[in-house]
Amino acid sequence: MSAMSAGRSAMRMGPAELVQAAAMARRFYLEGKSKIQIAEEFGVSRFKVARVLETALERDLVRIEIRVPAELDAERSDALRARYGLRHAVVVESPADAAEDAPDPENLGEVAADLLGELVNEGDVLGLAWGRSTIHMAAALHHLPPCTVVQLTGVYDAGTAERGSVEAVRRAAQVSGGEAHPIYAPMLLPDPATAAALRNQTGIARAFEYFDKVTVACVSIGSWEPGISTVHDMLTDEERAHYASLGVAAETSAHLFDAQGRRVGRDLGERCITVEADRLRRIPEVVAIAGGLRKAAAIDAVLRSGLVTSLVTDTAAADYLLSAGGPPPRPALDRADPDD
C-alpha cells in the first residue's frame, strides 16, 4: 500500500488537495484510523473523508495490491468456493512436473494445517479421519488452540497405527495441549458382528461418545481405484467388483458415493469402525483434503454429497472441478443428502 502522486490524472487535483488526500489515505490505509477519527483530525465530515479516499483510488493516488503466498491461487479458490457453495476453498499450485497419476501434493497437508489453525477455537472438539492427507496435515501442525482431538475412523492396518491416524491424533492433541481419543482398531472388519463387538469395547466406545460433540473435522477423499482408496484396497476382488457394479466413484471415511454424490453400498458401513454419515453431516465444519487429477472426479462426487463444507485442493483438481459440465452441483453448505 502506498500513498503517492502517480500519473497525469492525479495532477488534476490541486497541491493542497493532493497533500490532504495523501495524508488521509496514509491515516486510513497505513495507520488503521477510522474515517471518523480522520474527520475529527482534519475538521471535515466523515462523508468528506470517504469522498477523498474514493477519489484517491480513482485517480491512482492510492494503489492497493492484494498479495497472497505464491503457492496459493486466490482466483481459483474463490471460483471453487462459489461453484460448490463451500464455506472455505483453498487451492494450491500443483507441482510443475506432476503426472496425471501423481499422489496428493504434500503441501496440501501444510496448507490444511494452517487452515485448521484458523478454524479451530478453544474448547472445540477436532475429529480426524484416516487418510494420508490428514496424516500429512497432522505432521505439519504447529499451532492449535486448546481442544479435544478424537479419531473418527479405525486405521487402514492396525499394525501401522503408530505411524498413521493414531499418531495423527496424538500429534494434534500434543500441539493443542488437549485430550486425545484414538481408536486402536482396523477400519474394516470381516463381518458386522465383529465390528459391533469392537464398537462396544471401552476405549472405542469412549471415542464414539465424542462424535456428536465434534465441531471441526478433517477427512480425506479417495477414488475407487487401487492405491487411491483405502477401502478399495482392503476388499477382496469379488467385493470390489460388487461395489463397482453399484456405481461407486468415491469414498471418504469408509462411505461410498456414486458420481452424483449419492451413497451406495451402505451395507459396508456395518463392517466398518467409522463415524456414521449422518453424524458427519451434522458436524458444523468438515474440511476435505484431496488433490490431483486422479482424484478430481471423486472430489466432485463427495462435494455433491453435502458431507463437507470446505476443501483444500490443488490447481490440477480445481481446473477439472471448475470445467465440469452439467448443472451446478448442490451447494455443500445445504448439507443435504442427495438421496432425500
Side-chain angles (χ1 to χ4, degrees), residues 64-281:
I64 297 176
E65 294 181 345
I66 300 174
R67 295 181 178 180
V68 295
E71 67 174 354
L72 299 183
D73 192 307
E75 185 175 350
R76 285 184 175 92
S77 297
D78 189 56
L80 201 59
R81 178 201 56 77
R83 173 169 171 77
Y84 287 92
L86 295 163
R87 185 172 290 122
H88 304 284
V90 182
V91 178
V92 305
E93 289 289 342
S94 302
D97 57 350
E100 185 170 339
D101 59 350
D104 292 9
E106 290 193 10
N107 60 346
L108 291 187
E110 297 172 2
V111 173
D114 289 340
L115 179 60
L116 280 190
E118 292 183 62
L119 299 180
V120 176
N121 295 308
E122 184 173 352
D124 276 349
V125 177
L126 171 63
L128 300 181
W130 195 97
R132 295 177 183 88
S133 297
T134 53
I135 291 170
H136 289 155
M137 180 279 300
L141 283 172
H142 295 291
H143 169 74
L144 274 179
C147 64
T148 299
V149 186
V150 60
Q151 194 169 321
L152 296 179
T153 65
V155 297
Y156 175 42
D157 180 351
T160 62
E162 291 301 315
R163 300 189 300 276
S165 39
V166 169
E167 180 57 32
V169 169
R170 286 177 170 171
R171 166 68 181 168
Q174 180 185 31
V175 172
S176 73
E179 295 181 0
H181 294 275
I183 293 177
Y184 295 96
M187 181 187 296
L188 180 66
L189 282 304
D191 54 72
T194 304
L198 276 178
R199 290 190 202 104
N200 289 326
Q201 288 188 358
T202 303
I204 297 174
R206 185 177 299 115
F208 268 62
E209 290 174 358
Y210 276 91
F211 286 0
D212 287 330
K213 303 175 185 177
V214 174
T215 50
V216 181
C218 194
V219 302
S220 296
I221 295 174
S223 300
W224 196 246
E225 300 175 47
I228 314 180
S229 163
T230 300
V231 174
H232 178 282
D233 292 347
M234 289 191 288
L235 296 173
T236 65
D237 290 340
E238 183 178 355
E239 290 170 332
R240 291 180 192 129
H242 165 66
Y243 291 116
S245 72
L246 300 180
V248 59
E251 65 96 356
T252 186
S253 303
H255 301 297
L256 310 182
F257 304 89
D258 68 11
Q260 299 305 313
R262 297 183 293 259
R263 287 186 63 204
V264 297
R266 296 179 183 234
D267 61 302
L268 184 66
E270 299 175 5
R271 296 169 50 194
C272 291
I273 303 296
T274 185
V275 60
E276 298 95 326
D278 290 341
R279 276 179 161 174
L280 192 60
R281 197 184 305 279

